[in-house]
Amino acid sequence: MCGVFGVYSRNDYVAEEIYLGLAALQHRGQESAGIAWIDEDRRINVLKGMGLLHEALDQSLLSKLTARAAIGHVRYSTAGGSHEQNAQPIGANYAQGPVAIAHNGNLTNFKELREVLENRGAIFQSTGDTEAILHVLAHQPNRRPLEALRRALIGVSAAYSIVVLIEDGLVAARDPWGFRPLSLGRRGDNYYVASESCAFNLLGVSFVRDIEPGEILLINERGLSSYKMPLTPGCGRLCSFEFVYLARPDSVIEGISVYMARREMGRRLAKSTRGECFFSGSTSGDADFVAPMPDSGTTAALGYAEESRLPYEAAVVRNRYVGRTFIQPTQRVRELGVRIKLNPSPDLFRDRSAILVDDSIVRGTTAGLVVSMIRECRTRSVHLRISSPPVRYPCFYGIDTPSKGDLTAASHTVGEIAESIGVDSLCYLSLEDMVESIGLPGDRLCTACFDGDYLREREGEESRNACERIFD
Ligand code: AMP
Ligand code: SF4
């Protein structure tokens, strides 16, 4: 998962706004951050570094830059490792001028594309898939960048939501399936593109609309020009996990408030009997209160408490100076990270029965460690409620849900998971309830990590041919 941000202005210097926009998107990636702009000599400039935004970039330096268009990126690696050479944006000066790209997603035909490009002489500097798009541009030296980009995007397979800087302006594009969100905003004559609309709120930017699946939007001094890629029939696969966990609750995606969707997931979790459940004996009927796993379970827990008419207690405290534990690279650090980050309040749990609400279980590490700390408080019983269905399949569309072997629900029953976490009962939200809580038609959402219903895409030889056709 990554965050991308772009600004185009006729009058203002915008580099510092990129910094602020990225700050609002920091939850989408904490491994590296960067910014790219075109200078007065028509050269691309890129500043990037490892770590959180404030570690990677110097805000005061950006405030002095005289760039009227720029793009930025925060990264959490899904393709390629967590190294400086994979940080984005990726920029180059080639036969048709300067270009830089920032990408959120995963190109599913990257292997074939890289092979085709290497056979044509491309030398890759990074192990990430985004660089391939730049090479595709460079290998069409006689086409204008926008046309070369259009051909490149038709040839690569989802998932991508990208911002690209070329001399003709700022380009925003979303793959024809629309896996990852991308929004357009405006303040006066300035246009903004962001992975999530929460980045606009910070800058006083008004939300205009989502970039549509399959749209390539050019923003320059002439205003907006929209191009449509040929669409695959029946497409539209917005990631449902954005509503469950990934996006910030103050974002609106395709007209749906993430907060409202998440609260509805909690409500339905409290009242529905459609999801997978396990009860070891004691039911949640004896519960004294509802507590969220902060922050990922907060909004769903509110809905759960509302529906069940139980008190809502912030009984697990989050150390706000520690980042997302999931993001830590090794299992050992992740386990320690959970203990440093989340701590139950002993007085609230002692001799009481709690319903603990979280958004998802991936490996089971977080829930297992928090529940064992809750047990140390001599609680009466703990009932875990999850506001999404079991995650049983990996994601190939830009989210780092690990290989099947690491997904506890891929190889364990709900009863086994409940036992290993140490809870008295465990219930998941059903797929139907999750989709209905979001409120978009089921066939417009990707739910593959829950039900294994992956997109049937070009594979092997067919994909290689599609890559080669880009250069015809
Ligand atoms: P785990 O300990 O692996 O079960 O982690 C589960 C927690 O990680 C959940 O509470 C989620 O809030 C969070 N999470 C789920 N999926 C992701 C993801 N792809 N990236 C980062 N965090 C995630
Ligand atoms: Fe989102 Fe899951 Fe689909 Fe990946 S597989 S795009 S995480 S719903």
Side-chain angles (χ1 to χ4, degrees):
M1 178 173 67
C2 299
V4 300
F5 194 70
V7 189
Y8 182 89
S9 172
R10 283 196 203 144
N11 310 307
D12 304 333
Y13 296 141
V14 299
E16 197 175 11
E17 290 205 300
I18 295 282
Y19 188 92
L20 298 172
L22 291 180
L25 298 174
Q26 185 79 82
H27 61 289
R28 296 188 72 88
Q30 298 94 24
E31 285 183 10
S32 66
I35 175 172
W37 72 98
I38 297 171
D39 65 21
E40 280 132 17
D41 299 326
R42 301 179 48 222
R43 306 290 294 172
I44 203 77
N45 287 262
V46 181
L47 279 178
K48 53 192 174 184
M50 297 303 285
L52 295 171
L53 181 64
H54 70 273
E55 297 163 315
L57 297 175
D58 179 351
Q59 185 184 352
S60 61
L61 191 81
L62 299 188
S63 68
K64 296 185 194 104
L65 293 180
T66 55
R68 291 203 165 84
I71 59 172
H73 189 265
V74 285
R75 178 167 194 261
Y76 174 54
S77 56
T78 48
S82 174
H83 312 294
E84 187 139 14
Q85 77 265 27
N86 287 340
Q88 294 190 30
I90 303 182
N93 297 291
Y94 80 114
Q96 288 280 351
V99 59
I101 180 165
H103 171 206
N104 176 28
N106 243 22
L107 303 183
T108 49
N109 65 343
F110 172 56
K111 207 170 120 263
E112 291 84 3
L113 189 59
R114 182 169 178 147
E115 214 173 283
V116 167
L117 286 162
E118 283 180 337
N119 287 338
R120 295 175 65 94
I123 299 170
F124 277 74
Q125 313 253 339
S126 71
T127 52
D129 52 358
T130 311
E131 193 187 339
I133 301 176
L134 275 194
H135 285 296
V136 175
L137 294 199
H139 281 259
Q140 305 173 77
N142 300 319
R143 289 196 179 108
R144 293 295 301 150
L146 188 64
E147 171 56 13
L149 180 66
R150 200 182 63 80
R151 283 174 163 260
L153 295 182
I154 293 171
V156 300
S157 295
Y160 55 84
S161 280
I162 54 169
V163 284
V164 184
L165 201 56
I166 52 178
E167 264 190 310
D168 289 338
L170 170 68
V171 182
R174 208 167 156 210
D175 68 64
W177 303 96
F179 281 100
R180 310 259 70 88
L182 196 61
S183 304
L184 176 70
R186 182 177 183 171
R187 197 189 59 224
D189 287 338
N190 295 1
Y191 282 99
Y192 298 78
V193 178
S195 287
E196 282 182 47
S197 63
C198 64
F200 298 155
N201 305 343
L202 176 84
L203 294 165
V205 169
S206 306
F207 173 83
V208 175
R209 64 176 176 87
D210 295 292
I211 307 295
E212 287 180 23
E215 181 177 10
I216 301 174
L217 182 73
L218 173 68
I219 307 168
N220 59 20
E221 72 286 351
R222 290 184 293 280
L224 306 180
S225 322
S226 174
Y227 306 83
K228 269 301 183 112
M229 287 181 240
L231 293 186
T232 316
C235 67
R237 286 285 188 122
L238 177 61
C239 169
S240 56
F241 211 64
E242 292 278 353
F243 293 97
V244 169
Y245 169 75
L246 303 171
R248 247 172 61 160
D250 52 341
S251 289
V252 175
I253 306 174
E254 300 205 358
I256 310 282
S257 148
V258 174
Y259 179 89
M260 298 306 257
R262 245 169 236 176
R263 196 173 66 171
E264 183 59 23
M265 288 173 199
R267 280 201 193 124
R268 284 175 181 255
L269 188 57
K271 69 175 173 208
S272 170
T273 50
R274 296 198 274 190
E276 294 177 55
C277 277
F278 170 82
F279 299 95
S280 71
S282 99
T283 66
S284 57
D286 68 338
D288 296 301
F289 65 94
V290 176
M293 194 81 93
D295 294 325
S296 50
T298 302
T299 317
L302 274 170
Y304 196 107
E306 213 170 60
E307 183 62 39
S308 60
R309 296 173 190 273
L310 284 169
Y312 173 94
E313 303 271 22
V316 179
V317 177
R318 178 171 173 203
N319 179 338
R320 68 181 62 156
Y321 302 101
V322 181
R324 283 187 173 190
T325 46
F326 194 95
I327 294 263
Q328 310 292 337
T330 67
Q331 185 68 15
R332 193 183 125 65
V333 175
R334 189 176 295 112
E335 284 174 17
L336 272 177
V338 174
R339 280 193 170 265
I340 296 167
K341 186 174 120 178
L342 297 170
N343 295 97
S345 299
D347 290 345
L348 285 168
F349 282 102
R350 191 172 305 118
D351 297 328
R352 298 177 84 205
S353 170
I355 293 179
L356 187 64
V357 180
D358 202 0
D359 69 293
S360 59
I361 298 175
V362 181
R363 297 176 182 82
T365 319
T366 311
L369 288 167
V370 171
V371 169
S372 78
M373 287 189 272
I374 291 175
R375 293 277 182 210
E376 286 162 22
C377 305
R378 287 191 280 112
T379 186
R380 213 169 64 236
S381 55
V382 192
H383 305 277
L384 182 59
R385 298 292 176 265
I386 301 296
S387 61
S388 63
V391 178
R392 295 203 164 101
Y393 303 89
C395 174
F396 303 116
Y397 309 124
I399 300 304
D400 184 40
T401 22
S403 66
K404 246 183 142 176
D406 291 328
L407 295 169
T408 184
S411 52
H412 297 94
T413 63
V414 175
E416 286 165 349
I417 299 169
E419 201 173 310
S420 81
I421 290 174
V423 286
D424 298 273
S425 73
L426 169 63
C427 285
Y428 287 91
L429 187 67
S430 70
L431 190 67
E432 296 86 335
D433 279 318
M434 180 189 76
V435 169
E436 285 168 21
S437 304
I438 295 169
L440 289 172
D443 60 4
R444 296 255 325 267
L445 289 168
C446 175
T447 50
C449 51
F450 306 113
D451 60 10
D453 181 14
Y454 294 108
L455 199 63
R456 281 174 55 97
E457 278 187 293
R458 302 183 283 233
E459 275 174 16
E461 207 45 42
E462 206 195 322
S463 170
R464 209 176 331 274
N465 292 341
C467 301
E468 268 156 6
R469 277 199 300 275
I470 299 172
F471 307 107
D472 290 348

